[in-house]
Amino acid sequence: MGIHKFFTSLNDLERINRAPGRFKFEEHNVAAHSWKVSQYAMFFATLEEMKGARIDWKILYEKTINHDYGEIFIGDIKTPVKHASPELKSMIATVEEKMVENFIDMEIPEEFKAVFKNRMKEGKDSTIEGRLLELSDKLDQFYESFAELKRGNTDFEFVNMYQIALKKILEIPLPTSVDYFKNTMLRDVMNENTTIDLTELTKEVIKDA
Amino acid sequence: MGIHKFFTSLNDLERINRAPGRFKFEEHNVAAHSWKVSQYAMFFATLEEMKGARIDWKILYEKTINHDYGEIFIGDIKTPVKHASPELKSMIATVEEKMVENFIDMEIPEEFKAVFKNRMKEGKDSTIEGRLLELSDKLDQFYESFAELKRGNTDFEFVNMYQIALKKILEIPLPTSVDYFKNTMLRDVMNENTTIDLTELTKEVIKDA
Amino acid sequence: MGIHKFFTSLNDLERINRAPGRFKFEEHNVAAHSWKVSQYAMFFATLEEMKGARIDWKILYEKTINHDYGEIFIGDIKTPVKHASPELKSMIATVEEKMVENFIDMEIPEEFKAVFKNRMKEGKDSTIEGRLLELSDKLDQFYESFAELKRGNTDFEFVNMYQIALKKILEIPLPTSVDYFKNTMLRDVMNENTTIDLTELTKEVIKDA
Amino acid sequence: MGIHKFFTSLNDLERINRAPGRFKFEEHNVAAHSWKVSQYAMFFATLEEMKGARIDWKILYEKTINHDYGEIFIGDIKTPVKHASPELKSMIATVEEKMVENFIDMEIPEEFKAVFKNRMKEGKDSTIEGRLLELSDKLDQFYESFAELKRGNTDFEFVNMYQIALKKILEIPLPTSVDYFKNTMLRDVMNENTTIDLTELTKEVIKDA
Amino acid sequence: MGIHKFFTSLNDLERINRAPGRFKFEEHNVAAHSWKVSQYAMFFATLEEMKGARIDWKILYEKTINHDYGEIFIGDIKTPVKHASPELKSMIATVEEKMVENFIDMEIPEEFKAVFKNRMKEGKDSTIEGRLLELSDKLDQFYESFAELKRGNTDFEFVNMYQIALKKILEIPLPTSVDYFKNTMLRDVMNENTTIDLTELTKEVIKDA
Amino acid sequence: MGIHKFFTSLNDLERINRAPGRFKFEEHNVAAHSWKVSQYAMFFATLEEMKGARIDWKILYEKTINHDYGEIFIGDIKTPVKHASPELKSMIATVEEKMVENFIDMEIPEEFKAVFKNRMKEGKDSTIEGRLLELSDKLDQFYESFAELKRGNTDFEFVNMYQIALKKILEIPLPTSVDYFKNTMLRDVMNENTTIDLTELTKEVIKDA
């Protein structure tokens, strides 16, 4: 019991691959994903701050680095399952939360229990930090599918993942960030030399947004 | 839609690793696991038949090679989760079944739908073939943890998995097979030159059985 | 000596990769291959049975799961070698058989020796089960090369393997199964979105069949 | 040019392995390492804050997630080299900095240049956040070598890395955090069931600290 | 200390990957690279000898198999870094040399010290053997990038590496070898069926040579 | 057809793993093995030359880098097979030779055919260079099994491989080299800190030599 146990548990997330079972030219683990999410979030928070928003950096830091810690207990359940049944999706979320709580009760010393419980709870709320997490998490799906399509992965799942992530990003109520993504970054994305042409796939989504 | 789609889906199980997130000296995928299970089952069915039991070989063949097909949709959810809550365990089983059914409805041609639905349903029933499947599935957990302990994996999870698998095997109501395992095979297991001593770990379980 | 030794030997086939030395986007091991072969065979046997054939399911089960066990001793010798010299091909088959026999003599308990020898012998005979094994084994070569061509592997060996497997499947004297493959499944294969166009490669072979 | 380019560059750090050339039972990449460092730092900053220190969370967040970004250009140069010559060590640091600056000048849009330059500079200064970064970075060396020793890696380099990381941690001028590590966490470390006994190795360093 | 230590150190070069951090369809380690370089050099030396040159085979053998031994100490520093600053490039070369010397002083028995120092020093001098090494080392960069482009790797770095390696090969003052490469081998290269068309990329460089 | 084809074929040996099917903590490919053999041979040839022997360095260079080229066609057939039947062993050697010859006839330009045929033939003859090759090839088996035993691989095959390689080295009629190995290097081997104790295993063989 103790912080040593918590620290060694982090290593487990280096062994949980994202999107298990799909053919990919490159695997990504949940630890590295969490780092990339924390990078995207820092950039967009900076942009929002420049345009006048107030960011609680401690909360953003907590949300991004902890948002997938629960996968230590439950793994990266395949996305289709999460969406197959709203009942299951919510059940899985509940179990994940309970297992995290249970871990905290058993392993985390008394004086840190409250802090850990607060930090580990679902972070995608309607605060600006919650929305930045939502945006950044989807953006990593966008970039993971982008990298596969760029290298010629013709599996339909990645085309699908690319368009769904794109659509969800465009709907997030963070106008400054979403505008920057849409008007500045997507232009660079479409200019890349990719094996599968992304311009059409991207435009299909944009015109419906 | 069609059998071609079913055949290409088999490849997905080569990419789903067993026990994701744990440190292992050697990874095992669900496709190879299914093959080993079909080998164990064939041996114990042969033994049972020699001692007078009647085996329906077609059913045994169907049960063993299909018993983890549902993991194509749901992945190999971490064992602790399955046991954390009986409610979740049953919910997960239900969803897995529904996703398999849904796949069959959408992809399998009409004339094969009934056959596939029958084949893909949960196989661990109280028939002799169902029990041989149960035994063989646990035996692969036994051998996967055996191989890790033999090579010196000191993570507690594998000691645990070894003892739980052993205990469950000894409780399966297949006296001929369980006796053979207990009295003949376990002796060879304990005689192996392993980094972590298995004699004590094994005896602890046997004496309580 | 004993069944424990046989069971642990199965793990070796998870470490023998198919077609060693060739560049592949995805590796396949002999254990997972054996499972896929047992799946294909079960489907085609079901189809044959529906059309009136009689299947001995125990024999089919034995043939499919054991057909590459001998590679534990000899590895997956490169295909070109097998065909380079009929003399060597037959010599290699002989040695493989002798090594399996030798293993059975040394490791398998007396009461199971006859059963094991029968099970492990070359399964591709002229019975319907033997032909289903032949079809299923070639079908896995077809699907392994299909997956490489789909992802853009331009190495000539996979074009070659694709066309040879296709040609051999079409020649197997199992009209019901071969018709289904040719008239139903190949249509779906050619409709797939693949990096290397398979329609031409497929038609070249079909028109000569 | 642009933020899209910066975001895709993050993927490169998933492909740079730590301590290249050494035999390890498990590889770690720089992206996952950066995430673990950000987790350790958050914990110790929380502890320091509880004991009355003031933490600038934005700066800590920036320091931890960006501290190894420069390895995109220079790779993870082997530690012995870094210490072989103080002249080289400083030269390498200079070049790394210049390449990061150069990247920012070429790729980062004007309005973000100053922010990026500030964020990417060497973070291990004498502020409390700089010291928390130093502690966390060393702690990951400690945990990486701990995991190898636990699994029985007898290569001298990991014994060495373990003791050097431990020694450096104990010298960092952050008494609250170092006390917690020394008096609470190290006790749990020494209680672990490891293949190579860590108690002696740990005590040798502690008694000299 | 001793030759045993030197021999076990060779294993380290099997773990150092070439061009770390770049996405590749296939990784190459420094040990295998050294072998391929020794093969290319043997061929071109044979060609030069046929046309009347005198080759010191012992020196060629020494140069090719030892030319990257120093990477044991310093890793495969990313190419862009090597060229970012001539000052750093020379500094890195100096340090690499010093670390090799230091290793020889500490580990190699007295009677072999001089031989090892001579063998391990920078081999790309203006002798014919030095030039054959230079040609062969560049040729492996050419073939590594060729294999990536052939399989459809659209990352700009490999297009770049292909053209730079080609350009440098054409400038090496070994007319017989370079003519053979340019007039005989490049024709075969351009005739290959590759995902990314190499004819244009190749001709761009040739016409400037 | 041509040297380009020969050069690209070298890449295949990077994908053929040594001792396929065995559990190993670390894999080795045939290309890297060939390089290590060329390193061992250079050292022992140097030693022999110092003691007065005459070495033909060109021949030694040819023998060591080409000695396993034939595995491109035939793979690394499992060692037990090679020794199971002297008839097969010789048959396999014949076929390997014929496939190499066949490759040379088809792919190598006329003017180099004789050189290639000479270079690629079995190198382990009774010349001093042939014996140095034999010693070096066995020494790599010695070091591959040494590394596994050092890390705690308890599989009997590596104990066996270690002792057989050791025994064969001691029998090679190269007294100077064998003495150096036996009296100088083995002492260092036995002094290493290894998980499996090598002193006993080594002495058992030495006392019979």
Side-chain angles (χ1 to χ4, degrees):
Chain A
M1 170 182 151
I3 295 304
H4 167 61
K5 182 98 181 225
F6 170 66
F7 283 175
T8 54
S9 79
L10 302 174
N11 187 197
D12 289 9
L13 285 184
E14 294 180 86
R15 297 187 207 108
I16 297 189
N17 280 345
R18 307 247 309 155
R22 288 182 193 156
F23 173 80
K24 280 151 277 173
F25 288 118
E26 186 169 33
E27 294 288 343
H28 303 280
N29 67 49
V30 176
H33 157 75
S34 297
W35 174 72
K36 287 183 292 178
V37 165
S38 73
Q39 283 280 3
Y40 306 144
M42 179 172 284
F43 171 75
F44 285 108
T46 302
L47 179 70
E48 296 282 347
E49 208 178 50
M50 279 173 160
K51 306 293 173 180
R54 284 201 50 200
I55 305 295
D56 185 323
W57 289 93
K58 183 183 182 188
I59 285 179
L60 188 67
Y61 180 13
E62 289 177 331
K63 278 181 188 291
T64 54
I65 70 171
N66 291 311
H67 81 286
D68 272 344
Y69 183 75
E71 296 199 4
I72 279 181
F73 307 106
I74 204 159
D76 190 28
I77 287 187
K78 300 186 76 174
T79 311
V81 174
K82 286 190 200 150
H83 301 300
S85 133
E87 199 188 353
L88 179 74
K89 194 187 171 174
S90 115
M91 184 73 183
I92 284 175
T94 307
V95 173
E96 201 176 285
E97 266 170 54
K98 280 196 184 138
M99 294 200 71
V100 172
E101 257 180 57
N102 191 38
F103 174 82
I104 294 172
D105 284 337
M106 282 175 54
E107 301 292 346
I108 301 299
E110 207 50 44
E111 65 267 37
F112 304 113
K113 275 190 171 46
V115 174
F116 270 76
K117 285 193 184 170
N118 190 51
R119 236 163 231 182
M120 296 293 180
K121 65 169 197 262
E122 171 57 38
K124 292 173 183 167
D125 53 31
S126 64
T127 61
I128 190 167
E129 296 82 13
R131 285 171 176 171
L132 284 164
L133 170 59
E134 176 77 22
L135 171 67
S136 302
D137 199 23
K138 287 286 166 295
L139 194 58
D140 205 43
Q141 281 199 8
F142 176 84
Y143 273 120
E144 285 183 8
S145 49
F146 166 77
E148 290 300 314
L149 297 171
K150 173 174 152 73
R151 307 208 146 94
N153 189 331
T154 60
D155 289 9
F156 184 68
E157 296 187 83
F158 286 101
V159 171
N160 215 22
M161 193 200 280
Y162 179 84
Q163 291 194 317
I164 287 174
L166 181 53
K167 189 167 176 299
K168 290 204 170 151
I169 290 169
L170 297 175
E171 290 166 3
I172 293 170
L174 273 180
T176 301
S177 294
V178 171
D179 277 10
Y180 192 85
F181 171 74
K182 185 174 170 183
N183 298 315
T184 302
M185 290 172 54
L186 277 186
R187 200 192 47 220
D188 291 350
V189 169
M190 290 187 283
N191 280 340
E192 283 238 18
N193 172 25
T194 55
T195 304
I196 293 175
D197 185 43
L198 295 175
T199 308
E200 212 45 55
L201 291 177
T202 307
K203 287 189 172 162
E204 271 175 42
V205 178
I206 291 177
K207 74 165 194 286
D208 297 338
Chain B
M1 166 180 156
I3 295 304
H4 167 61
K5 181 97 181 226
F6 170 65
F7 283 175
T8 54
S9 80
L10 301 175
N11 186 197
D12 289 9
L13 285 183
E14 293 180 87
R15 296 187 208 108
I16 296 189
N17 280 345
R18 306 248 309 155
R22 286 182 196 158
F23 173 80
K24 279 152 277 173
F25 287 118
E26 185 169 34
E27 294 288 342
H28 303 280
N29 67 51
V30 177
H33 157 74
S34 297
W35 174 72
K36 288 183 291 179
V37 166
S38 73
Q39 283 280 2
Y40 306 144
M42 179 172 282
F43 172 75
F44 285 109
T46 302
L47 180 70
E48 295 282 347
E49 208 178 49
M50 279 173 160
K51 305 293 174 181
R54 283 201 50 199
I55 305 294
D56 184 324
W57 289 94
K58 183 182 182 187
I59 285 178
L60 188 67
Y61 181 10
E62 290 177 331
K63 278 181 189 292
T64 54
I65 71 172
N66 292 311
H67 81 285
D68 271 346
Y69 184 76
E71 296 199 3
I72 280 182
F73 307 106
I74 204 158
D76 191 30
I77 287 187
K78 299 186 77 174
T79 311
V81 175
K82 287 190 200 151
H83 301 302
S85 132
E87 198 188 352
L88 179 75
K89 193 187 173 176
S90 115
M91 184 73 184
I92 284 175
T94 307
V95 173
E96 201 176 286
E97 268 171 53
K98 281 196 183 137
M99 294 200 71
V100 172
E101 258 181 57
N102 191 38
F103 175 81
I104 294 173
D105 284 336
M106 282 175 54
E107 301 293 347
I108 301 299
E110 206 50 44
E111 65 268 37
F112 303 113
K113 275 191 170 46
V115 175
F116 270 76
K117 284 194 183 169
N118 191 51
R119 237 163 230 181
M120 296 292 181
K121 66 169 198 263
E122 170 57 37
K124 292 175 183 166
D125 53 31
S126 65
T127 61
I128 189 167
E129 295 84 12
R131 285 171 176 171
L132 285 164
L133 170 59
E134 176 76 22
L135 171 68
S136 303
D137 199 23
K138 286 287 167 294
L139 193 58
D140 205 43
Q141 280 199 9
F142 176 85
Y143 272 120
E144 285 183 10
S145 49
F146 166 78
E148 291 300 315
L149 297 171
K150 173 173 152 72
R151 307 208 147 94
N153 189 332
T154 59
D155 289 8
F156 183 67
E157 296 187 82
F158 287 101
V159 170
N160 214 23
M161 192 201 279
Y162 180 84
Q163 291 195 316
I164 289 174
L166 181 53
K167 190 168 176 299
K168 290 203 170 154
I169 289 169
L170 297 175
E171 291 166 2
I172 292 171
L174 275 179
T176 301
S177 294
V178 171
D179 277 10
Y180 192 84
F181 171 74
K182 186 175 169 183
N183 298 316
T184 303
M185 289 173 54
L186 277 187
R187 201 191 46 219
D188 290 350
V189 169
M190 289 186 285
N191 280 340
E192 284 237 18
N193 172 25
T194 55
T195 304
I196 293 175
D197 186 43
L198 296 175
T199 307
E200 213 44 56
L201 292 178
T202 307
K203 287 189 172 161
E204 272 176 40
V205 178
I206 291 176
K207 74 164 195 287
D208 297 338
Chain C
M1 166 180 155
I3 296 303
H4 166 61
K5 182 99 181 227
F6 170 65
F7 283 176
T8 53
S9 79
L10 300 174
N11 188 196
D12 289 9
L13 285 183
E14 294 179 87
R15 297 186 207 109
I16 296 189
N17 281 344
R18 306 246 308 153
R22 288 183 194 158
F23 173 80
K24 279 151 276 174
F25 287 118
E26 187 169 32
E27 293 288 342
H28 303 280
N29 67 49
V30 177
H33 157 75
S34 297
W35 175 72
K36 288 183 292 178
V37 165
S38 73
Q39 283 279 3
Y40 306 145
M42 179 172 282
F43 171 74
F44 285 108
T46 302
L47 180 71
E48 295 282 347
E49 205 177 50
M50 278 172 161
K51 305 294 174 183
R54 283 200 52 198
I55 305 295
D56 185 324
W57 289 92
K58 184 182 180 186
I59 285 178
L60 188 66
Y61 182 10
E62 291 176 331
K63 278 181 188 293
T64 54
I65 71 172
N66 292 313
H67 81 285
D68 272 346
Y69 184 76
E71 297 199 3
I72 280 181
F73 306 106
I74 204 157
D76 190 28
I77 286 187
K78 300 188 76 174
T79 311
V81 175
K82 286 191 200 151
H83 301 302
S85 132
E87 198 187 353
L88 178 74
K89 194 186 172 175
S90 116
M91 183 72 182
I92 284 176
T94 307
V95 172
E96 200 176 288
E97 267 170 55
K98 279 196 185 139
M99 295 200 72
V100 172
E101 256 180 60
N102 190 38
F103 174 81
I104 294 172
D105 284 337
M106 282 175 53
E107 301 293 345
I108 301 299
E110 206 50 43
E111 65 268 38
F112 303 113
K113 275 191 169 48
V115 175
F116 270 76
K117 284 194 183 169
N118 190 50
R119 239 164 228 180
M120 296 294 180
K121 65 170 198 261
E122 170 57 36
K124 292 173 184 168
D125 53 30
S126 65
T127 61
I128 189 166
E129 295 83 13
R131 284 168 177 175
L132 285 164
L133 170 60
E134 175 77 22
L135 171 68
S136 303
D137 199 24
K138 286 287 167 293
L139 194 57
D140 206 42
Q141 280 200 8
F142 176 85
Y143 272 121
E144 286 183 9
S145 49
F146 167 77
E148 291 300 313
L149 297 172
K150 173 174 152 70
R151 308 209 145 94
N153 189 332
T154 59
D155 288 8
F156 184 67
E157 297 187 81
F158 287 101
V159 170
N160 214 22
M161 193 201 278
Y162 180 84
Q163 292 195 317
I164 288 174
L166 181 53
K167 188 166 176 300
K168 291 207 170 151
I169 289 170
L170 297 175
E171 291 166 2
I172 293 171
L174 273 179
T176 301
S177 295
V178 171
D179 277 11
Y180 192 85
F181 171 74
K182 184 174 172 184
N183 298 315
T184 303
M185 289 173 52
L186 276 187
R187 200 191 49 219
D188 291 351
V189 169
M190 289 187 283
N191 280 339
E192 284 239 17
N193 173 24
T194 54
T195 304
I196 293 176
D197 186 44
L198 295 175
T199 307
E200 212 46 55
L201 291 178
T202 307
K203 287 188 172 162
E204 270 175 42
V205 178
I206 290 177
K207 73 162 198 289
D208 297 338
Chain D
M1 166 179 155
I3 295 303
H4 167 61
K5 182 97 182 229
F6 170 65
F7 283 176
T8 55
S9 79
L10 301 174
N11 187 196
D12 290 9
L13 285 184
E14 294 180 88
R15 297 187 206 107
I16 296 189
N17 280 345
R18 305 245 311 151
R22 286 183 196 157
F23 173 81
K24 280 152 275 173
F25 288 118
E26 186 168 32
E27 294 288 341
H28 303 281
N29 66 50
V30 177
H33 156 74
S34 297
W35 175 71
K36 289 184 290 180
V37 165
S38 74
Q39 283 280 4
Y40 306 144
M42 180 173 282
F43 171 75
F44 285 109
T46 302
L47 180 71
E48 295 282 347
E49 206 178 51
M50 280 172 159
K51 305 293 175 183
R54 284 200 51 200
I55 305 295
D56 185 324
W57 290 93
K58 183 182 182 187
I59 285 178
L60 188 66
Y61 182 9
E62 289 177 331
K63 278 181 188 290
T64 53
I65 71 172
N66 292 313
H67 81 285
D68 272 346
Y69 184 76
E71 296 199 4
I72 281 182
F73 306 106
I74 204 158
D76 190 29
I77 287 187
K78 301 187 75 173
T79 311
V81 175
K82 286 190 200 150
H83 301 302
S85 131
E87 198 187 354
L88 178 75
K89 194 186 170 176
S90 115
M91 184 72 182
I92 284 175
T94 307
V95 173
E96 201 176 287
E97 267 169 55
K98 280 194 185 140
M99 294 200 73
V100 172
E101 257 180 59
N102 191 38
F103 174 82
I104 295 172
D105 284 337
M106 282 174 54
E107 301 293 346
I108 300 299
E110 206 49 44
E111 65 267 37
F112 303 114
K113 275 191 171 45
V115 175
F116 270 75
K117 284 193 185 172
N118 190 50
R119 241 165 226 179
M120 296 293 180
K121 65 169 198 261
E122 170 56 36
K124 291 175 184 167
D125 52 31
S126 65
T127 62
I128 189 166
E129 296 83 12
R131 284 170 177 173
L132 285 164
L133 170 60
E134 176 76 22
L135 171 66
S136 303
D137 198 24
K138 285 288 167 291
L139 193 57
D140 206 43
Q141 281 199 7
F142 176 84
Y143 272 121
E144 285 182 9
S145 50
F146 167 77
E148 291 300 314
L149 297 172
K150 173 174 153 70
R151 307 207 146 95
N153 190 331
T154 58
D155 289 8
F156 184 67
E157 297 187 82
F158 287 101
V159 171
N160 213 22
M161 193 201 280
Y162 180 84
Q163 292 195 317
I164 288 174
L166 182 53
K167 189 167 177 298
K168 291 204 171 154
I169 289 169
L170 298 175
E171 291 166 0
I172 293 171
L174 275 178
T176 302
S177 294
V178 171
D179 276 10
Y180 192 84
F181 171 75
K182 184 174 170 183
N183 298 314
T184 304
M185 290 172 54
L186 276 187
R187 201 191 48 220
D188 291 350
V189 169
M190 288 187 284
N191 280 339
E192 284 238 17
N193 173 24
T194 55
T195 304
I196 293 175
D197 186 44
L198 296 175
T199 307
E200 214 44 56
L201 292 178
T202 307
K203 287 188 172 162
E204 270 176 41
V205 178
I206 291 177
K207 72 164 197 286
D208 297 338
Chain E
M1 165 181 154
I3 295 304
H4 167 61
K5 183 99 179 228
F6 170 65
F7 283 175
T8 55
S9 79
L10 301 175
N11 187 196
D12 289 9
L13 285 184
E14 294 180 87
R15 298 187 207 107
I16 296 189
N17 280 344
R18 306 245 311 152
R22 288 183 193 156
F23 173 80
K24 278 152 278 174
F25 288 117
E26 187 168 33
E27 293 288 342
H28 303 280
N29 66 50
V30 177
H33 157 74
S34 298
W35 174 72
K36 288 184 292 180
V37 165
S38 73
Q39 284 279 3
Y40 306 144
M42 179 173 284
F43 171 75
F44 285 109
T46 301
L47 180 70
E48 296 282 348
E49 206 178 50
M50 280 173 159
K51 305 291 174 184
R54 284 202 48 201
I55 305 294
D56 185 323
W57 290 93
K58 183 182 182 188
I59 285 178
L60 187 67
Y61 181 12
E62 290 176 331
K63 279 182 188 290
T64 55
I65 72 172
N66 291 313
H67 80 286
D68 271 346
Y69 184 76
E71 296 199 4
I72 280 181
F73 306 105
I74 204 157
D76 190 29
I77 287 187
K78 300 187 76 175
T79 311
V81 175
K82 286 190 202 150
H83 301 300
S85 132
E87 198 187 352
L88 179 75
K89 195 185 170 176
S90 114
M91 183 73 183
I92 284 176
T94 307
V95 173
E96 203 176 283
E97 266 169 56
K98 280 196 185 139
M99 295 200 72
V100 172
E101 256 179 61
N102 190 39
F103 174 81
I104 294 172
D105 284 337
M106 282 174 55
E107 302 292 346
I108 300 299
E110 207 49 45
E111 65 267 38
F112 303 113
K113 274 190 173 45
V115 174
F116 271 75
K117 284 194 185 169
N118 190 51
R119 240 165 227 182
M120 296 293 181
K121 65 170 198 263
E122 171 56 37
K124 292 173 183 168
D125 52 30
S126 64
T127 61
I128 189 166
E129 295 83 14
R131 284 169 178 172
L132 285 164
L133 170 60
E134 176 77 22
L135 170 68
S136 302
D137 199 24
K138 286 288 167 291
L139 193 58
D140 206 42
Q141 281 199 8
F142 176 84
Y143 272 120
E144 285 183 8
S145 50
F146 166 78
E148 290 301 314
L149 297 172
K150 172 175 153 73
R151 309 208 145 93
N153 190 332
T154 60
D155 289 9
F156 184 68
E157 296 187 83
F158 287 101
V159 170
N160 215 22
M161 193 200 282
Y162 180 83
Q163 291 194 318
I164 288 174
L166 182 53
K167 189 168 176 300
K168 290 205 171 153
I169 289 169
L170 297 175
E171 291 166 2
I172 293 170
L174 274 179
T176 301
S177 295
V178 171
D179 277 10
Y180 192 84
F181 171 75
K182 185 174 171 184
N183 298 315
T184 303
M185 290 173 54
L186 276 187
R187 200 190 49 218
D188 291 350
V189 169
M190 288 187 283
N191 280 339
E192 283 239 18
N193 172 24
T194 56
T195 303
I196 293 175
D197 186 44
L198 295 175
T199 308
E200 212 45 56
L201 292 178
T202 307
K203 287 189 172 163
E204 271 176 41
V205 178
I206 291 177
K207 72 165 197 286
D208 296 339
Chain F
M1 167 183 153
I3 294 304
H4 167 61
K5 183 97 180 228
F6 170 65
F7 282 175
T8 55
S9 80
L10 300 175
N11 187 196
D12 289 9
L13 285 184
E14 293 181 87
R15 297 188 206 106
I16 296 189
N17 280 345
R18 306 247 309 154
R22 287 184 194 155
F23 173 81
K24 278 152 277 174
F25 288 118
E26 185 169 33
E27 294 288 343
H28 302 281
N29 67 50
V30 177
H33 156 75
S34 297
W35 174 71
K36 288 183 292 180
V37 166
S38 73
Q39 284 279 3
Y40 306 144
M42 179 173 283
F43 171 74
F44 285 109
T46 302
L47 180 69
E48 295 282 348
E49 208 178 49
M50 280 172 160
K51 304 293 174 183
R54 283 200 50 199
I55 305 295
D56 184 324
W57 290 93
K58 182 182 183 188
I59 285 178
L60 188 67
Y61 181 10
E62 289 176 330
K63 278 180 189 291
T64 54
I65 71 171
N66 292 312
H67 81 286
D68 271 345
Y69 184 77
E71 296 200 4
I72 280 182
F73 307 105
I74 205 159
D76 190 29
I77 287 187
K78 300 186 77 175
T79 311
V81 175
K82 287 191 200 149
H83 301 301
S85 131
E87 198 187 353
L88 179 75
K89 194 186 170 175
S90 115
M91 184 73 183
I92 284 175
T94 307
V95 173
E96 203 177 284
E97 267 170 55
K98 280 195 184 139
M99 294 200 73
V100 172
E101 257 181 57
N102 191 37
F103 174 81
I104 294 172
D105 284 337
M106 281 174 55
E107 301 293 347
I108 300 300
E110 206 50 42
E111 65 267 37
F112 303 113
K113 275 190 172 43
V115 174
F116 271 76
K117 283 195 185 169
N118 189 51
R119 239 163 229 183
M120 296 293 181
K121 65 169 198 265
E122 172 56 38
K124 291 174 184 168
D125 52 31
S126 64
T127 61
I128 190 166
E129 296 83 13
R131 283 171 178 171
L132 285 164
L133 170 60
E134 176 76 21
L135 171 67
S136 303
D137 199 23
K138 286 288 167 292
L139 193 59
D140 205 42
Q141 281 198 9
F142 176 85
Y143 272 120
E144 285 183 8
S145 50
F146 167 78
E148 291 300 314
L149 298 172
K150 172 173 152 74
R151 308 207 147 94
N153 189 332
T154 60
D155 290 8
F156 184 67
E157 297 186 83
F158 287 101
V159 171
N160 214 21
M161 192 200 280
Y162 180 84
Q163 291 194 317
I164 288 173
L166 181 53
K167 191 169 176 298
K168 289 206 171 152
I169 290 169
L170 298 175
E171 291 166 1
I172 292 171
L174 275 178
T176 301
S177 295
V178 171
D179 277 10
Y180 193 83
F181 171 74
K182 185 173 170 185
N183 298 315
T184 303
M185 290 172 55
L186 277 187
R187 199 192 48 219
D188 291 349
V189 169
M190 289 187 285
N191 279 341
E192 284 238 17
N193 172 24
T194 56
T195 304
I196 293 174
D197 186 44
L198 295 174
T199 307
E200 212 45 56
L201 291 178
T202 307
K203 287 190 173 162
E204 271 175 42
V205 178
I206 291 177
K207 74 164 195 286
D208 296 339

